[in-house]
Amino acid sequence: MAKRRGISVKELNYKKKKLQFSHQDIESVAAKHKTPFFLYSEEILSKNYSTFYEGAKASGLIDPLVCFAMKSNPNKELIKILAKLGSGADIVSGGELKRALEAGIPANKIVFSGVGKTEEEILFALKLPGKGLNSFNVESLEELELINACAKRLKKIARICFRLNPVVNPKTHKYISTGNKTHKFGLLEKDVLKTLGQSHYWSHSQLVGLSIHIGSQLLDLKATKKAIQRLSEVGLKTKAPLEFLDVGGGLGIDYHPDETKKLPSVSTYMNLVAASLEKHFYKKTDLRPRVVFEPGRRIVAKAGIFVMKVLRNKVSEQNHFVIVDGGMNDFMRPSLYGAFHDLIPVNEAKAKHECHIVGPICETSDCFGSNRLLPALKAGDLLIIKDTGAYGYSMGSNYNLRGRPLELLIDSKNKLKVVNKAQDYSELT
Ligand code: LLP
């Protein structure tokens, strides 16, 4: 199928010179709804989830469980769609736990990650009926002590998974690299093993799994391969009857056209996971733990765009600024990480102007792209930021006392639904 910058024509394409996203005409959507807004596609979301899950099964992995990383996009309607498809959740707060349960994700498909779980959050999770969560993914010895003490108080048994710090160096932005000992995440092998002989940690806890998560937006899988080997080796050394091995999230996407060539396909990734686990774990034991995944970005990034309107132009000698109504408070990846996102005009025209696309926020970093070649844009014209379904709305803020933007969903019947209304001034505190 013909492609425009890595996304299939069916998902984002021009029809009679007007940009369409997932069969909807963006200009018509913007005629009914005030900009800026996020626009999501159920079709793309569902397709991405299924590709991931089916890919895991096709590579021969045992009973895979895909726990969607809710921090990437916790919108309730999106989580409901994923829940219906059978997804679990990777959560990092009591808020995400409540959201996952409300959206219909069963507790036994939820993994609770994060270095700073509070006592209140731990008690909330432990009070869930039955066996409760799939696991607490434990990041420190003090956390294990606290979970064990809370479980004792409630006369429960906590299901524990250690997040191993595999001490690897993934190639990614330093802010989202998590797999080395200089990072706050995970436990070193010696600390994992040290706990095993010490009964005070385990009076009301049971080791059921081992996990890793070495970083996000990974396009090179060398460190992933090494980390899975470490996960397997330490898993065997625990001599525990592990129910699962959790390989984390992190599989990247092609934000920039130059990344399309190096983007690992889901099947390449799954085959690597399956081959590494086979070689370093399954071959060496009779245990058959299932495999857990925690993907966020790969499932939801391309299922969303951010639609903005041009407010005005400003020319300062050779610098041409196009000022838009979306700001870094709505979408902060470019300002926080210097991340590249494609900017696409809704009206197709020849690109002939180099300009900087900037928002209204009082920070120089409030810039969605510098020196971009775009058609002439005037006040009222629409422009989208591509690939904003992940770490978009979820990282937004009210900075500059701006209300949070609207979120819209194109559902499976191609109907437009408001899935989170825009905040107005009366809701700002
Ligand atoms: N599991 C754990 C324990 C995580 O910390 C994360 C992401 C994930 C899974 C999901 O990773 P993914 O598959 O989405 O790469 N705000 C940054 C990304 C931060 C990722 C934090 N942890 C960004 O916009 O690039």
Side-chain angles (χ1 to χ4, degrees), residues 203-373:
S203 67
H204 289 76
S205 304
Q206 182 195 1
L207 184 64
V208 292
L210 198 63
S211 76
I212 48 168
H213 174 74
I214 63 168
S216 200
Q217 181 52 13
L218 306 176
L219 297 176
D220 177 327
L221 299 180
K222 280 195 205 80
T224 303
K225 198 170 162 190
K226 202 163 158 203
I228 295 175
Q229 178 174 347
R230 299 284 302 123
L231 175 77
S232 304
E233 289 164 354
V234 179
L236 291 173
K237 282 190 196 169
T238 64
K239 299 201 168 57
L242 300 176
E243 292 174 23
F244 65 91
L245 291 170
D246 176 345
V247 296
L251 187 59
I253 65 151
D254 50 347
Y255 286 110
H256 194 280
D258 289 352
E259 291 169 331
T260 308
K261 293 187 284 304
K262 27 182 178 160
L263 181 74
S265 67
V266 168
S267 69
T268 300
Y269 170 71
M270 291 300 172
N271 290 337
L272 178 138
V273 173
S276 305
L277 289 176
E278 182 57 33
K279 180 169 172 199
H280 301 291
F281 191 90
Y282 293 120
K283 242 186 166 166
K284 302 186 173 171
T285 171
D286 291 335
L287 291 175
R288 286 290 172 268
R290 76 190 305 197
V291 181
V292 175
F293 296 90
E294 303 170 3
R297 190 187 318 265
R298 190 63 179 241
I299 306 289
V300 76
K302 285 185 182 280
I305 60 172
F306 185 59
V307 180
M308 311 179 293
K309 197 173 265 176
V310 173
L311 295 174
R312 61 190 64 97
N313 283 267
K314 169 173 172 169
V315 180
S316 298
E317 292 184 343
Q318 65 272 46
N319 287 293
H320 181 165
F321 299 97
V322 175
I323 303 168
V324 290
D325 61 359
M328 65 187 268
N329 71 302
D330 302 309
F331 185 63
M332 73 181 303
R333 296 196 76 257
S335 59
L336 186 60
Y337 312 113
F340 176 92
H341 279 257
D342 219 347
L343 296 163
I344 306 177
V346 167
N347 286 313
E348 187 175 27
K350 203 167 158 35
K352 48 184 177 184
H353 290 279
E354 254 195 29
C355 55
H356 313 306
I357 304 295
V358 297
I361 302 283
C362 299
E363 301 240 5
T364 302
S365 66
D366 184 27
C367 176
F368 294 122
S370 302
N371 302 313
R372 297 291 179 93
L373 199 62

Side-chain angles (χ1 to χ4, degrees), residues 22 26 44 46-47 56 60-61 76 79 81 92 162 170 179 186 189 193 230 261 277 289 299 314 370 398-399 404 407:
S22 200
I26 297 168
I44 301 173
S46 305
K47 191 191 75 191
L61 287 166
K76 202 185 211 166
I79 305 300
I81 293 166
V92 286
F162 278 128
E189 169 181 344
L193 299 178
R230 299 284 302 123
K261 293 187 284 304
L277 289 176
I299 306 289
K314 169 173 172 169
S370 302
N398 292 118
Y399 190 34
R404 305 293 305 278
E407 291 179 286

